[in-house]
Amino acid sequence: TPGSVVYRSPVMELIQYRAVRNEVHKRPLLIAPPQINKFYVFDLVPEKSIVQYALNGGLSTFAISWKNPTAAESHFGLDTYVGAMEEAVDAMRDITGSADVNIWGACSGGITMSAFLANLAARGEAKVNSATVAVCVLDMAMAQSTTAGIFVTPESIVAAKTASQVAGVVEGQELARM
C-alpha cells in the first residue's frame, strides 16, 4: 500500500499510508506490529490487507516499522520500545492535529502497547482513545497451560537470556529453534 516514512528514530520508522478517500476521520490509527515480525504482515496482499481495510474505512492509517536490532542495540528493553511508541503517537498527533489516536497492537506489539498505556495512565495522560489487542498474551500464567507453554521452562528461559547476552541479539532461526 502506498505510504511514506514521516518520522524516524534510532528504534523505528513511522509510516503514514496514503488516504484512498477524499475525507478521513480526524482520529488516526496506529498499527503496532510485533518487533520480530514487521509492519508488512498487516499489508501482505491487497485482498487481505488490514492497512487497505482501514484506509477504505476512511481511517488515517500509520504503522511502526521497528529497526532490526544488532548487537549494538542489545541495551534495548521494553522501556526503549514503549518510548518509541510514544514518539510515534506524538508524531501522529502533530501530523493530523488529533488530540489522541487509536492503536492496534499485535503480539509483542500488543505487549508494548499495553505497557505504554499503563505508563500513560500512571502519568494521567490521555493520548490514546482506544486500543485493540490482537494475538497477544498479557497473562503469562495462562500461557503455561498451552502447548507452547510446555516448552517454556525456567531452564529454557535462562538459556535464551544467556544466548542473547552473549550475542547481543537473538537471531530469528535461534528464536524459532527455542
Side-chain angles (χ1 to χ4, degrees):
T1 302
S4 58
V5 174
V6 294
Y7 180 82
R8 183 174 284 124
S9 80
V11 182
M12 59 83 184
E13 293 180 335
L14 180 64
I15 300 165
Q16 181 177 17
Y17 292 96
R18 190 174 319 138
V20 297
R21 296 174 64 175
N22 290 335
E23 292 185 11
V24 295
H25 295 277
K26 182 174 180 167
R27 183 177 291 126
L29 171 66
L30 174 61
I31 296 173
Q35 288 85 352
I36 58 173
N37 252 337
K38 296 296 174 204
F39 67 94
Y40 45 77
V41 75
F42 293 95
D43 193 33
L44 293 174
V45 295
E47 303 80 34
K48 298 177 184 176
S49 171
I50 292 169
V51 171
Q52 269 304 312
Y53 183 79
L55 291 169
N56 289 339
L59 296 175
S60 179
T61 305
F62 295 74
I64 292 175
S65 175
W66 299 109
K67 177 183 178 167
N68 286 329
T70 66
E73 289 84 29
S74 64
H75 63 283
F76 282 11
L78 182 60
D79 59 332
T80 306
Y81 292 106
V82 167
M85 187 172 287
E86 184 159 19
E87 289 177 32
V89 166
D90 288 342
M92 291 170 60
R93 292 169 61 220
D94 288 345
I95 291 166
T96 64
S98 179
D100 55 18
V101 306
N102 295 322
I103 302 179
W104 181 354
C107 197
S108 60
I111 294 169
T112 304
M113 178 191 73
S114 297
F116 169 54
L117 295 173
N119 185 276
L120 286 179
R123 295 183 347 228
E125 295 187 40
K127 296 180 180 184
V128 176
N129 175 65
S130 72
T132 300
V133 180
V135 193
C136 179
V137 178
L138 294 175
D139 183 352
M140 298 308 169
M142 294 302 295
Q144 292 173 348
S145 62
T146 67
T147 303
I150 293 170
F151 300 102
V152 179
T153 65
E155 294 81 13
S156 67
I157 292 170
V158 168
K161 286 182 178 180
T162 301
S164 69
Q165 289 169 347
V166 169
V169 296
V170 177
E171 295 295 335
Q173 286 182 317
E174 180 65 14
L175 188 63
R177 188 188 68 72
M178 285 189 278

